[in-house]
Amino acid sequence: MATTQLSDVIVPEAFSAYVVENTVEKSTLVHSAVMARNAEIEAQLKAGADSFSVPYWKDLGDDEANIANDNPAQEAVPVKLSAGKQIVRKSFLHKSWSAMNLASELAGSDAISRIQARAADYWTRQTQRRLVATLNGIKAENIANGGGDMIVDISTGTGNAAKFNAASAIQACATLGDSMRDVVAIGMHSKTYAQALQNDLIQTLPDSQGGFVQTFRGLAIIVDDLMPVAADVYTSVLFGPGAFGYGVTTPRVAAGTEVENKPGAGNGGGMQILHSRINLAVHPLGYRWLETSVAAESPTLIELADATNWQRVGERKHVPLAFLVHKL
């Protein structure tokens, strides 16, 4: 029986473009407006260096205005406009799959769709994992250096007081001060979601296309089992719009997709390897990457979750994230 080989169906440029676009489109976080695709990040991913800075102007401050008078000798003293910068870290990522294992599964007329879906879904899951690792790093940094001002932890309570509830979610939103009304979504583990359903905390509305839309007190719900869990303690995260900027591109020099032939493998039976590469950056608004504990050329998931690699440079209310730590 004839077997479809990778080199029979892969057009590298088209495959790479498909992978990049579907990595973007299949993320529920993107659709919820939590992650904003950023053209500047994607442009920088094609440039040199492993990180880049994004300068920004700080606010004008709240010091009292001058009291005007009619004394010509009294000159007003202007205050300066301050600037800051966020440092965004790039990640240069690669994954490969052996054609020997895939060949039997990929035989048939729709082989290319199956290969593309596998690779695109893989990179989507990796993007989600890197975002959750970053959330863990930000939370740890806030505990270490910010006095936990982004976190409401009810997990040490007794009985129902330790469980996910609407009042505590509002309390977490309130850590944003008068920016709390900007929160648009809440991310939660599926077990938290199930508990919220049981407690009638989820509102279900019919969709014009025949499905349904679910919200938690007006917030979009992101259900993802990658949301942080430690033993029986869960972390739900409240997001403002564009809480994360991100970009994903093919590499500038190396091919985004390559098929490697190894004719001697399998005692001469031959083997093909599909190589897939992307450049990726997922960055939280209001933070600077410090590069404190990165051992290789790109940060690992563990290093993204390391508090020492992050520094908040924005005011609390200008960082559209809040954490609710709870039990079930």
Side-chain angles (χ1 to χ4, degrees):
M1 182 181 72
T3 299
T4 303
Q5 297 292 307
L6 296 184
S7 56
D8 296 330
V9 294
I10 289 292
V11 178
E13 294 81 3
F15 183 90
S16 296
Y18 179 99
V19 166
V20 167
E21 288 307 310
N22 280 270
T23 297
V24 171
E25 291 174 1
K26 293 185 178 182
S27 170
T28 56
L29 290 169
V30 174
H31 292 157
S32 66
V34 165
M35 291 177 69
R37 192 173 184 182
N38 187 294
E40 177 61 21
I41 289 178
E42 294 196 337
Q44 291 290 341
L45 285 172
K46 291 283 192 177
D50 57 14
S51 62
F52 61 95
S53 64
V54 179
Y56 66 95
W57 294 113
K58 296 183 179 180
D59 208 347
L60 297 181
D62 297 311
D63 48 321
E64 186 176 356
N66 298 329
I67 304 299
N69 60 44
D70 60 358
N71 181 358
Q74 186 173 357
E75 294 282 343
V77 179
V79 296
K80 66 179 181 178
L81 180 60
S82 298
K85 64 179 180 179
Q86 302 176 67
I87 304 297
V88 180
R89 184 57 157 92
K90 306 175 188 179
S91 294
F92 308 99
L93 307 175
H94 163 269
K95 191 68 177 177
S96 60
W97 296 272
S98 166
M100 276 186 168
N101 294 329
L102 290 175
S104 59
E105 184 177 355
L106 299 180
S109 61
D110 199 30
I112 185 63
S113 297
R114 182 58 175 162
I115 300 169
Q116 288 174 329
R118 269 183 175 271
D121 286 347
Y122 171 81
W123 287 122
T124 296
R125 294 193 302 271
Q126 286 299 303
T127 302
Q128 301 265 89
R129 280 170 167 77
R130 296 182 82 80
L131 181 139
V132 171
T134 299
L135 286 172
N136 286 331
I138 291 170
K139 177 185 169 188
E141 190 278 336
N142 187 240
I143 292 172
N145 303 313
D149 63 355
M150 300 170 65
I151 304 167
V152 170
D153 188 348
I154 61 172
S155 64
T156 57
T158 303
N160 289 334
K163 297 180 179 180
F164 179 88
N165 61 82
S168 296
I170 293 172
Q171 188 180 357
C173 286
T175 64
L176 281 159
D178 55 12
S179 294
M180 66 183 293
R181 296 179 66 182
D182 296 337
V183 173
V184 296
I186 181 169
M188 59 180 69
H189 193 279
S190 64
K191 290 185 178 180
T192 303
Y193 169 72
Q195 184 189 66
L197 279 175
Q198 292 169 358
N199 294 337
D200 293 325
L201 297 176
I202 305 296
Q203 183 180 16
T204 302
L205 303 172
D207 189 340
S208 61
Q209 297 183 358
F212 60 88
V213 176
Q214 291 187 317
T215 62
F216 170 77
R217 301 193 67 84
L219 304 178
I221 302 171
I222 303 163
V223 181
D224 196 324
D225 284 340
L226 290 176
M227 295 302 291
V229 182
D232 60 345
V233 176
Y234 293 73
T235 297
S236 297
V237 183
L238 296 125
F239 300 92
F244 284 80
Y246 82 109
V248 56
T249 70
T250 55
R252 181 171 60 94
V253 177
T257 301
E258 283 189 90
V259 178
E260 177 186 2
N261 287 295
K262 289 197 169 184
N267 200 27
M271 177 174 69
Q272 293 183 310
I273 301 172
L274 172 66
H275 295 273
S276 181
R277 305 179 184 93
I278 65 169
N279 293 354
L280 175 69
V282 177
H283 188 78
L285 183 64
Y287 276 83
R288 175 185 298 179
W289 176 260
L290 297 181
E291 195 78 6
T292 301
S293 67
V294 179
E297 299 305 316
S298 298
T300 64
L301 294 175
I302 292 175
E303 289 163 346
L304 288 172
D306 187 339
T308 65
N309 283 320
W310 297 103
Q311 179 187 30
R312 193 172 80 195
V313 294
E315 294 183 32
R316 167 64 193 111
K317 66 171 63 179
H318 295 156
V319 178
L321 288 170
F323 300 85
L324 175 59
V325 182
H326 58 86
K327 293 184 177 180
L328 299 179

